[in-house]
Each structure stands twice: as C-alpha cells, then as structure tokens.
Amino acid sequence: MGNNNSLSVLTEDLLEEYTILTYLSKGEILHLYKVFSRLAPNGILGDLNWRFPCENLEEIFTQLKYNPFKDRIFRVFSSQKDGLMSFEDVLDLCSVMSERCPDKVKAAWAFQIFDFDEDEAVGTEDLMNVIKRLTSSAGFISETDQKHIIKILMNEMDLELSGRVGIQEFVHAVGKMSEFPHSFCFKF
C-alpha cells in the first residue's frame, strides 16, 4: 500500500480481515479495490459501503455481461437486494468465483442463483427457467423436451422425493459434476 493515499481507506487490518473472510489473496483484494475505484465519482473509493448500480459492474466484470444468469448473480450477491453492490458485495462475488473457493461453497451460492422464486428450494419452475436461459441462444427446445430434462434432473437430485430440491440435495448433486467448479469460476 505504501504512500498511495487512495488506498488509505483499505487499512492493513481491514485487508487482513478480508483475506481471512474470503478465498482471495491480498493482491487480488487490492486489485479489486483499484478496479472498483474506477466506478467512484472521483476515481477514489473513499467509502467501502458505497453502493454502485449492478449495471456499472458489467464494465469491471465483462464475463458477466452476457451471462444468462447475471441478473440473478447480481441479486444474490447484493447484500441489500436493491440492484446495488458495495465493495464487500463484490468481494463476496469474486471470492465465490475464485478457483480457491471450495466446491460445496460454490454449489450453495449456485443454489441461490437457481432458486428464482426464492422459496429456498429449486423446483420445476426454477429448472424450467434455467433451461430456457441456457438454451435461448442455441434455439428452441420443445416443452416436451424441457419436461423430460426436468424429470431426469428431479429423479437424480430430489432424494427426499418432495418434488423440490433443497440446498443439501443440490450441493450433493452438484458435487457429482466434475465440470461444475470450472464453470462457476472467472478471472478478475
């Protein structure tokens, strides 16, 4: 941090705390602070609680710009669920999307993203939404095919046979998918 006054709000103690609470290194946190500061009116982020519109964050995280789940990602990681994100919200997002984040933690956050109706379960409608978002650019998938895919997914994930997938069932199912951790990750 040295003599750079623009980083004075990010003290050594706070930086150390962030490294303990996230899966990010000090260097990554400092980099995120520098990049995030570009959004501040004067180019200096003097208040770590200042909340920025999620649309502005697409300038920083271009990998989310065309993500079919970007609205859900921003909603889930916005601590106030208000379409705005603070620096700490961004740290949470980047921590989960880092390669060092454990698969089970990633899966728990993915569960929240896929729980579109926010009823603490992934049900048929949530899965229908996931399929539509994943296939919208690839072309149309018939409703019959969508229902067939959902039936297969529910047979595999709904261990309690409740017609809905709870977080533990979801984490268990995602744990069997070797490619999941790599698809729920990005560089920043």
Side-chain angles (χ1 to χ4, degrees), residues 126-139:
D126 295 315
L127 291 174
M128 187 75 75
N129 213 331
V130 169
I131 291 170
K132 285 179 181 176
R133 286 177 182 230
L134 289 174
T135 61
S136 67
S137 64

Side-chain angles (χ1 to χ4, degrees), residues 60-163:
I60 297 172
F61 304 111
T62 54
Q63 57 274 64
L64 293 178
K65 189 171 192 169
Y66 301 105
N67 187 305
F69 301 101
K70 79 175 173 186
D71 62 317
R72 289 295 305 153
I73 291 168
F74 287 141
R75 172 138 178 95
V76 166
F77 284 95
S78 170
S79 58
Q80 303 297 314
K81 309 295 183 228
D82 59 358
L84 305 171
M85 291 182 74
S86 69
F87 179 68
E88 289 186 357
D89 293 340
V90 170
L91 287 182
D92 287 341
L93 169 63
C94 291
S95 178
V96 170
M97 296 297 177
S98 78
E99 293 175 345
R100 288 183 299 283
C101 183
D103 297 351
K104 288 183 179 188
V105 174
K106 286 180 178 290
W109 283 95
F111 173 84
Q112 290 182 55
I113 292 167
F114 294 154
D115 181 14
F116 287 89
D117 56 13
E118 299 181 4
D119 66 349
E120 298 184 18
V122 173
T124 302
E125 289 300 316
D126 295 315
L127 291 174
M128 187 75 75
N129 213 331
V130 169
I131 291 170
K132 285 179 181 176
R133 286 177 182 230
L134 289 174
T135 61
S136 67
S137 64
F140 178 74
I141 292 183
S142 72
E143 189 173 331
T144 303
D145 288 343
Q146 290 177 23
K147 288 180 180 179
H148 179 70
I149 292 167
I150 290 170
K151 182 179 178 185
I152 291 169
L153 289 171
M154 292 301 278
N155 284 340
E156 288 297 317
M157 295 191 307
D158 184 13
L159 302 176
E160 295 177 1
L161 304 175
S162 64

